[in-house]
DNA sequence: TTCATTTTATTGATATATCAATTATATTTG
DNA sequence: CAAATATAATTGATATATCAATAAAATGAA
């Protein structure tokens, strides 16, 4: 008999890795040279252009140093454009180039299909329950 | 109102990152210079000394190249000892040094405490349900 | 206003992730 | 058996993760 307490984190890890691999595969069918995390960064910047690098880093669970390098790369690849923010010269305005926007447009339907696939045969209630349990775990771990 | 299908993977990712940060913090209170993944590798090798690097890589969701470098490092740090396998000279026998075993012994109680903390207030049924839902997702993603 | 503190981003060092290419050894097949 | 194929591990190149140190600008308090 399985003892879930011993294996749940293993299963969680496996889920996220499987999903990342799956996403990557389907992303690459419509756009080449994009990673799952780069897509996330593009999406956040598109929806909230005022975000600082630090804020994006927090949203995608990375640190500032990683974000600096990711954004450098995305600028080099022509997805993003950095310009100085005259209101606060420590930070940058970062905006999507047309190429960056095009990538998001191409990926939008893929995201929807991916989610459908991932959650096939799982009810809304079951997803809610999943979300609830995971949030309990997060809050347990943070109260320490 | 929240739409879990849009955010579940975000929550899953957050759970695993939070748990890793939490584990790391508590690991470092009893052992210095260890990572969560290194501990996992030590554990697998301790429980199944016959495992090849490739097999371990699969168990910890990494690729062979990463494992090669991780094991190199763990040998340099004196946690592991590599020796040639005379039955198949392509692979190595990898065994824990006394130092490696000591690390596992020191971490064992921490693991138990960590799990207790993580799952406080969550019933066995709820954990089972979590496990079930995640496995449905994994299987959905793999049938593609 | 000036100095100390905080914030934002960068850089350096080291480890890890990923993919492709390579080496050495084993296994299979004609 | 010899040649082709497969397997285990390594290496190289590039990207990312993490921590510590730093630089530049903004903010706060005396």
């Amino acid at each position: 008999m399985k003892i879930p307490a011993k294996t749940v984190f293993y299963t969680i890890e496996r889920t996220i890795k499987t999903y990342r691999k799956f996403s990557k595969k389907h992303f690459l069918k419509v756009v080449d040279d994009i990673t799952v995390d780069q897509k996330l960064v593009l999406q956040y910047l598109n929806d909230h252009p005022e975000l600082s690098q630090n804020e994006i880093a927090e949203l995608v669970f990375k640190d500032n140093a990683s974000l600096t390098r990711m954004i450098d790369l995305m600028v080099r690849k022509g997805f993003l454009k950095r310009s100085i923010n005259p209101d606060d010269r420590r930070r940058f305005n970062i905006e999507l180039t047309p190429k960056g926007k095009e990538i998001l447009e191409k990926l939008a339907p893929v995201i929807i299909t991916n989610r459908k696939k991932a959650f096939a045969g799982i009810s809304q209630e079951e997803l809610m329950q999943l979300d609830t349990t995971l949030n309990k775990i997060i809050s347990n771990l943070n109260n320490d």
Side-chain angles (χ1 to χ4, degrees), chain A residues 9-94:
Chain A
F9 283 114
Y10 185 85
T11 308
I12 297 176
E13 184 104 35
R14 198 147 80 88
T15 308
I16 204 71
K17 297 264 183 173
T18 306
Y19 180 63
R20 281 178 165 270
K21 191 161 285 183
F22 176 88
S23 293
K24 184 174 188 182
K25 182 175 106 188
H26 290 282
F27 281 10
L28 292 180
K29 291 197 301 191
V30 294
V31 177
D32 56 42
D33 201 27
I34 190 81
T35 70
V36 174
D37 286 316
Q38 285 170 7
K39 188 270 167 189
L40 262 178
V41 170
L42 281 182
Q43 190 71 62
Y44 276 120
L45 279 168
N46 189 62
D47 298 346
H48 307 283
E50 75 289 355
L51 288 172
S52 71
Q53 295 189 187
N54 286 355
E55 288 162 341
I56 297 168
E58 190 163 350
L59 286 166
V60 297
F61 310 118
K62 300 184 189 303
D63 80 340
N64 302 348
S66 297
L67 244 288
T68 292
R69 283 157 184 144
M70 272 185 76
I71 288 182
D72 282 349
L73 180 65
M74 291 169 80
V75 168
R76 283 209 303 284
K77 294 209 280 189
F79 303 165
L80 293 176
K81 196 164 81 85
R82 251 199 282 229
S83 54
I84 290 173
N85 181 335
D87 297 331
D88 184 340
R89 291 159 47 79
R90 288 170 306 182
R91 51 200 290 177
F92 293 105
N93 292 329
I94 311 173

